[in-house]
Amino acid sequence: MKYQFPADFWWGSAASGPQTEGVIPGDGKGENVWDHWFKEAPELFFDQVGPAKVSQFYTRYPEYIQQMKATGHNSYRHSIQWSRLIPDGVGEVNQTAVDYYNKLIDEMLANGIEPFMNLYHFDMPWPLQEQGGWENYDVVTAFARYAEVCFELFGDRVKKWFTMNEPIVPVEAGYLGEFHYPQVVDMKRAALVGYHEALASAKAIAAYRKLGLSGEIGIILNLTPSYPRDAKNPADVKASQIADAFFNRSFLDPAILGTFPEELVTILKDLDMLPKTLNEADLAIIQDNTIDLLGINYYQPRRVKAKETPKGPQPFPTDYFDFYEWPERKMNPYRGWEIYEKGIYDSLINIKENYGNIRCFISENGMGVEGEGRFLEEGQIQDGYRIEFVKDHLKYVHQALSEGCNVLGYHMWTCMDNWSWLNAYKNRYGFISIDLANDGAATIKKSGEWFKQVATNNGFDD
């Protein structure tokens, strides 16, 4: 069968500034939470590899852009580092960073690769984190100003903007788990962080529209479909709906509909956890500044059932559901995640049916593999497993397209193997292999050559 995609489909990948650019002495970059946390507790990071030792994108981006071209990219998403552009988070702009981002954008455009620029990818400037980070309302104002600076500096050439990548992650990993700084487990503080992020995104969108630039602005959300154990069991279905409200609709609804999910508001109200900073004027800003374009990150499903285990000592989202292991699941043996290709289709259909079929694209999808060097043959990583993974997901993207979903492109996570927070380089995701032991030498994997053919032909045969 032939899977043909539209002629103007976006083919490419995504990465972030803090995961690829590194720390270059004397370039004026300020410290962010990851720089500080690594300095404070390097033992938490896999192989004690921190954010300074990454893919050298900052100094070698012309080389990487040529490799993007060689792997079929017509678009690529990067993120501006807040702490690089405005070292203290507020105040003076770092001209060295302005020069770098200008050259990066120009180099991409000169090579036929459209820049998609994101503003926040978990990299809070440390001086602002010391003031509470997203718990502090003043940081919302600071983010809106930072966004405005970016639009003024680069908005003449960048036509695709995104306020945040996966804003649920700082909530979930930083304030409900212990995988991101500040390693807090407190649902009330988590709710405050989530509300302030949603408000900051809306205020950035307001700033963009006020400037009257020709382009569009959106947000990148990791949509993890919540499947009930038994779709005919009302208790399981309700559990899946609540999980969805916590982890998907908490940002999806305000971004597109301008409102928060009723189930979530009711739960937080009953627990006396509604943010104290919440007010009608700010809710109106959220209502009036919804997105133009949605990026969907999809990796795996969430499977839930009605609550059967005892509740913990303090309020928590899993007071309302339990996780469920589907007996028929297929696993990525290298990463421990379920592979469920239909989830990407279900996410797109949900956007079509419940969110006005807003313009959207797959902004991340990928397969992490530990110890990928095992698959090195004659100087190239033979990652046929990644080709199969992408192909099987693209089939479902194609099906969603054929059923009228307004899906405009597919971006892989990621272009080159990059540093991945506490996991550092434990799992590799890229089309391009990075050899840390050989000064970051970059080599295109088999999957990158395959993707070039897909992009050139706007599709593939199977």
Side-chain angles (χ1 to χ4, degrees):
M1 179 174 171
K2 189 167 184 64
Y3 293 88
Q4 193 67 46
F5 291 80
D8 54 355
F9 205 67
W10 302 330
W11 298 104
S13 65
S16 80
Q19 291 173 274
T20 59
E21 289 177 355
V23 177
I24 310 298
D27 74 345
K29 178 187 168 316
E31 195 172 51
N32 66 34
V33 287
W34 295 98
D35 302 318
H36 183 88
W37 197 14
F38 181 73
K39 191 169 67 179
E40 196 177 74
E43 70 280 359
L44 296 177
F45 295 73
F46 183 75
D47 281 350
Q48 297 198 21
V49 175
K53 186 181 179 182
V54 297
S55 312
Q56 301 183 40
F57 190 86
Y58 183 81
T59 53
R60 295 169 65 168
Y61 65 87
E63 173 190 341
Y64 288 138
I65 287 171
Q66 289 308 308
Q67 289 184 311
M68 288 177 198
K69 204 171 175 180
T71 50
H73 285 54
N74 60 26
S75 47
Y76 165 71
R77 173 167 62 98
H78 195 67
S79 70
I80 294 168
Q81 287 200 66
W82 190 352
S83 60
R84 186 180 293 288
L85 190 69
I86 305 175
D88 293 327
V90 292
E92 192 174 338
V93 173
N94 174 14
Q95 186 58 44
T96 304
V98 175
D99 294 343
Y100 158 67
Y101 286 118
N102 270 326
K103 287 186 285 188
L104 170 61
I105 290 163
D106 290 346
E107 186 78 10
M108 288 170 65
L109 289 169
N111 283 278
I113 298 169
E114 184 175 6
F116 289 30
M117 296 304 271
N118 175 55
L119 297 176
Y120 186 76
H121 201 121
F122 318 153
D123 54 337
M124 178 67 65
W126 180 248
L128 296 184
Q129 184 63 43
E130 285 188 295
Q131 297 169 37
W134 288 121
E135 293 181 75
N136 185 341
Y137 188 92
D138 290 344
V139 170
V140 175
T141 305
F143 179 78
R145 176 58 191 147
Y146 154 63
E148 187 177 30
V149 169
C150 291
F151 304 146
E152 289 171 341
L153 287 168
F154 314 118
D156 58 327
R157 286 151 293 152
V158 176
K159 305 302 180 185
K160 304 286 191 303
W161 287 98
F162 302 93
T163 56
M164 297 177 176
N165 175 83
E166 301 184 347
I168 191 64
V169 168
V171 176
E172 196 174 3
Y175 289 85
L176 293 174
E178 296 182 276
F179 310 110
H180 285 202
Y181 201 88
Q183 292 185 293
V184 169
V185 180
D186 187 321
M187 190 164 144
K188 188 168 187 174
R189 290 169 71 181
L192 179 63
V193 165
Y195 170 62
H196 282 168
E197 283 189 288
L199 178 59
S201 177
K203 286 196 169 193
I205 291 169
Y208 183 74
R209 296 206 172 119
K210 190 176 179 182
L211 289 170
L213 296 166
S214 63
E216 50 193 339
I217 188 164
I219 196 168
I220 307 288
L221 300 180
N222 49 322
L223 299 184
T224 306
S226 298
Y227 295 105
R229 169 181 56 183
D230 181 355
K232 295 178 182 176
N233 179 337
D236 284 348
V237 171
K238 185 179 179 183
S240 73
Q241 290 169 342
I242 292 175
D244 191 58
F246 270 108
F247 298 113
N248 289 330
R249 291 190 289 127
S250 51
F251 285 100
L252 190 57
D253 282 18
I256 300 175
L257 307 177
T259 56
F260 291 96
E262 284 184 22
E263 305 100 310
L264 185 57
V265 172
T266 299
I267 287 169
L268 294 176
K269 201 171 186 178
D270 289 347
L271 293 170
D272 191 28
M273 288 186 177
L274 284 179
K276 300 299 182 191
T277 53
L278 193 148
N279 63 72
E280 290 300 322
D282 284 342
L283 289 176
I285 290 171
I286 292 170
Q287 178 77 67
D288 294 341
N289 292 281
T290 53
I291 60 172
D292 304 317
L293 176 64
L294 174 67
I296 298 171
N297 293 356
Y298 175 73
Y299 289 94
Q300 59 179 331
R302 178 181 290 109
R303 299 193 184 276
V304 298
K305 59 185 178 181
K307 186 69 180 171
E308 295 172 351
T309 59
K311 292 183 180 180
Q314 59 178 318
F316 208 69
T318 49
D319 290 350
Y320 304 91
F321 59 88
D322 279 336
F323 293 109
Y324 164 68
E325 193 173 287
W326 187 39
E328 298 172 51
R329 66 183 185 155
K330 176 174 67 173
M331 296 295 291
N332 168 1
Y334 314 104
R335 180 69 175 86
W337 284 359
E338 181 182 345
I339 296 174
Y340 186 65
E341 299 90 348
K342 186 175 178 287
I344 207 166
Y345 165 85
D346 290 335
S347 294
L348 290 167
I349 291 295
N350 177 43
I351 297 303
K352 175 176 178 261
E353 293 181 348
N354 298 308
Y355 294 91
N357 206 15
I358 190 171
R359 286 161 55 83
C360 67
F361 73 112
I362 301 303
S363 43
E364 287 181 29
N365 178 229
M367 184 182 190
V369 174
E370 187 177 350
E372 204 166 53
R374 290 170 291 165
F375 306 105
L376 183 67
E377 293 178 20
E378 297 181 3
Q380 184 184 54
I381 300 291
Q382 301 296 308
D383 56 340
Y385 44 84
R386 185 168 286 112
I387 294 171
E388 180 185 3
F389 179 95
V390 175
K391 186 186 287 187
D392 289 347
H393 282 82
L394 279 174
K395 288 176 183 177
Y396 274 108
V397 174
H398 186 271
Q399 184 177 335
L401 254 173
S402 69
E403 293 178 21
C405 290
N406 204 359
V407 55
L408 307 172
Y410 177 92
H411 280 189
M412 177 77 167
W413 184 269
T414 180
C415 180
M416 70 292 296
D417 289 334
N418 64 22
W419 181 82
S420 193
W421 320 116
L422 293 184
N423 276 329
Y425 282 89
K426 182 179 181 181
N427 302 298
R428 303 299 186 103
Y429 286 85
F431 283 135
I432 298 165
S433 175
I434 298 295
D435 185 351
L436 294 177
N438 187 20
D439 193 33
T443 310
I444 295 172
K445 301 176 189 177
K446 186 178 180 182
S447 62
E449 294 179 345
W450 174 82
F451 195 71
K452 165 70 170 175
Q453 294 305 312
V454 173
T456 300
N457 298 320
N458 271 310
F460 57 92
D461 294 324
D462 189 58

